Amino acid sequence: MQSDQDNANQTSNFTHEKYRPFPKVSLPDRQWPDQEITAAPLWCSVDLRDGNQALIEPMSVTQKKLMFSLLVKIGFKEIEVGFPAASQPDFDFVRWLIEAEQIPEDVTIQVLTQARPELIERTFDALRGVHRAVVHVYNSTSTVQRQQVFEMDREGIKNIAIRGAQKVQEQAARYPETEWVFQYSPESFTGTELDYAVDVVNAVTAIWQPTKQNPVIINLPATVEMATPNIFADQIEWFNRQVERREAIILSVHTHNDRGCAVAAAELAVMAGADRVEGTLMGNGERTGNMDIITMAMNLYSQGIDPELQLGDMDEIIRVVRECTQLPVHPRHPYAGELVYTAFSGSHQDAIKKCLAKRKTGDAWNVAYLPIDPADIGRSYQEVIRVNSQSGKGGVAYMLERDYGLALPRWLQIDFSPMVQQAAEVSGGEVTGAQIRQLFDQRYVNHNAPVCIGAFEVKRTTHDELHAQLFIDGQMNELNGIGHGSLDALANGLKQQFGIDIVVQEYSEHAIKDGTSGTEADAIAYVQARIAGELYCGAAIHEDIMTASINALLCAANQYLAEHQQAVAC
């Protein structure tokens, strides 16, 4: 046990006295509080660079290709694809994009480089033959970096920026067939004295000599979020007023989320004069993350402003982001989380029901507790009666895990709880663990017809190839499918067989522990799939987890086929 002295020492380490408030900006006539956002900013996704370098396991080539395809599909016109001078995989990916002609004509790729001559040369080597590209060069200008990291004065740091700008201009002249766009970032802008930030940027643009017809991008990053969003907005407005050649500058911001305010800071920055916003899907990034473009874009959408991004299939976006980043999406994530259109409270449920009942087609959206219509992003409103181990009518998740070792994922608890609640209301008494298990098997497991799988083989190359015996009403057929993983391959094979769209939305698996011995034997897989636009869940148990996964998806598919009396031909 810890002594009182140990506890006292730990408490003494938590002290606010070593911190200082961030200085305010002297801007008594600030204009941004009275401004209104009426149009989307220019968006630039940095998922493949800033987001990727923050991952525990950086994306594979296959994952990068998948993410780039998603970003193009969503509608990004500027995509930062890597730091080719610092990473061979990034260099090779940029070359693949160019040589394989993967960049649509209306999309501009962006690459990052430090303001160092050898890195700038390598960057232009990577971009050889590209139609149009943004070369993003940076160096750190903050007070703490100058004084403690580089041990240089203001002129020394400014000269790094000047030499970098000159080198970028020199290299671009070697490739006149490419349409070049130059971008400069005074890294750690928020920790840089404003007059100095303006001085450095003016020195850079004096070299590049941009015009209104051929502007440059000046990006002001909150590399570390150090102040409240209103102070960041003051910094942007002050800079916006003071910088030279403003008419020839696209003013960009790149906020981080150290204080949890990256979206708010970016929104206020746009009010303060920023034209462009860099960020990532779901806010993936270093430390607490980057600015979440999904959240900011949907914030605009909820105010009746076209975000100029196609976010109508949110579940598909989540699926790809999770597959590429290996990161979960929080169930309470704004707009995208699995629980954000779910009401547990009875009073909330009642209010939502009444609003929906009064709403007529064509009415402006005005529904209690739902800031947007879930259908806009491919979701639906769900009522869920929460149950737990103290509930008089069940304790569904608790009892299934305690008695049978089944740890239902949250999304499956949401789907299953109403069924148990209904059974409890019909019986008028307590629902036992055995009854809950019977309901679970009836709902998700016992769906073995009209299709089932026999012998199968999965080959892993750049994709997964599934070859299997598929029995349809007892008659054997061959099934072949290719996809990102065995489930995706099976879904694509079933699509070819039956002509129905099948997309795996959620997946979870775990070993089943024996309730008495605690040993692990079989495994269980849980799948939620969108089939022809409708959600179905399936589960299966097997000693082999891949077999369990495949059977779980087949259970979901069989529910759809049975409900729709699908005619299945051999």
Side-chain angles (χ1 to χ4, degrees), residues 129-401:
V130 70
H131 170 67
R132 187 174 192 267
V134 176
V135 177
H136 180 185
V137 62
Y138 76 96
N139 69 301
S140 186
T141 59
S142 70
T143 309
V144 67
Q145 292 267 25
R146 292 198 316 268
Q147 295 177 351
Q148 299 190 41
V149 179
F150 298 106
E151 298 182 345
M152 298 176 70
D153 61 12
R154 284 189 173 198
E155 283 302 306
I157 293 295
K158 183 168 74 172
N159 285 334
I160 293 175
I162 291 171
R163 289 193 295 269
Q166 291 170 334
K167 189 67 175 180
V168 165
Q169 191 173 53
E170 169 196 309
Q171 288 294 303
R174 295 177 56 206
Y175 305 95
E177 70 281 2
T178 295
E179 182 183 347
W180 297 110
V181 178
F182 299 158
Q183 174 172 332
Y184 173 71
S185 288
E187 189 198 6
S188 300
F189 163 77
T190 45
T192 303
E193 304 91 334
L194 286 175
D195 65 322
Y196 181 58
V198 167
D199 184 35
V200 174
V201 168
N202 286 344
V204 168
T205 59
I207 294 165
W208 286 343
Q209 287 295 307
T211 64
K212 189 173 183 179
Q213 292 71 34
N214 294 291
V216 296
I217 302 169
I218 296 300
N219 187 56
L220 303 178
T223 308
V224 178
E225 186 177 36
M226 304 169 70
T228 51
N230 62 301
I231 292 181
F232 183 65
D234 281 348
Q235 291 180 308
I236 299 302
E237 183 171 335
W238 194 97
F239 183 96
N240 199 29
R241 293 185 189 184
Q242 301 297 326
V243 72
E244 295 174 1
R245 305 174 186 87
R246 179 62 182 92
E247 74 286 349
I249 289 173
I250 297 171
L251 194 61
S252 177
V253 292
H254 179 125
T255 58
H256 278 244
N257 204 41
D258 299 88
R259 293 171 54 93
C261 301
V263 169
E267 291 183 343
L268 297 192
V270 171
M271 293 166 60
D275 309 302
R276 180 178 183 268
V277 172
E278 294 188 346
T280 60
L281 303 179
M282 309 299 170
N284 172 42
E286 293 178 302
R287 302 182 308 278
T288 56
N290 283 16
M291 202 286 299
D292 180 1
I293 290 181
I294 293 286
T295 298
M296 183 170 174
M298 289 303 300
N299 283 352
L300 298 181
Y301 181 84
S302 71
Q303 302 300 304
I305 300 168
D306 182 359
E308 298 183 17
L309 295 174
Q310 300 301 318
L311 305 177
D313 193 350
M314 192 66 73
D315 289 334
E316 172 67 5
I317 293 170
I318 292 170
R319 184 188 69 80
V320 174
V321 169
R322 286 194 309 198
E323 183 173 334
C324 292
T325 65
Q326 307 301 306
L327 294 174
V329 174
H330 196 282
R332 298 295 183 186
H333 183 287
Y335 302 105
E338 64 181 275
L339 296 182
V340 295
Y341 307 108
T342 301
F344 292 99
S345 162
S347 62
H348 288 202
Q349 292 172 358
D350 181 64
I352 293 169
K353 276 184 178 179
K354 288 176 178 175
C355 290
L356 290 175
K358 292 177 180 178
R359 187 171 183 274
K360 297 182 177 64
T361 303
D363 286 352
W365 185 258
N366 187 25
V367 175
Y369 301 111
L370 294 177
I372 69 163
D373 184 350
D376 291 354
I377 59 167
R379 298 282 184 83
S380 59
Y381 160 64
Q382 292 178 296
E383 287 183 3
V384 174
I385 299 172
R386 186 186 291 271
V387 291
N388 55 43
S389 60
Q390 303 301 312
S391 171
K393 292 185 177 180
V396 177
Y398 172 81
M399 295 176 74
L400 279 178
E401 185 163 14

Side-chain angles (χ1 to χ4, degrees), residues 18-37:
K18 60 184 173 185
Y19 303 104
R20 297 292 179 267
F22 193 85
K24 296 179 181 180
V25 177
S26 179
L27 197 66
D29 60 339
R30 60 182 57 83
Q31 301 298 309
W32 66 260
D34 293 325
Q35 302 306 307
E36 183 179 356
I37 300 176

Side-chain angles (χ1 to χ4, degrees), residues 33-78:
D34 293 325
Q35 302 306 307
E36 183 179 356
I37 300 176
T38 58
L42 301 172
W43 301 110
C44 178
S45 159
V46 295
D47 290 86
L48 287 164
R49 197 279 302 171
D50 203 350
N52 186 46
Q53 73 183 36
L55 297 175
I56 297 172
E57 295 183 15
M59 296 181 205
S60 66
V61 173
T62 299
Q63 289 169 326
K64 285 184 178 182
K65 291 177 180 179
L66 188 61
M67 177 62 78
F68 183 79
S69 178
L70 173 68
L71 296 170
V72 170
K73 182 178 178 181
I74 289 173
F76 284 97
K77 302 306 178 187
E78 293 183 1

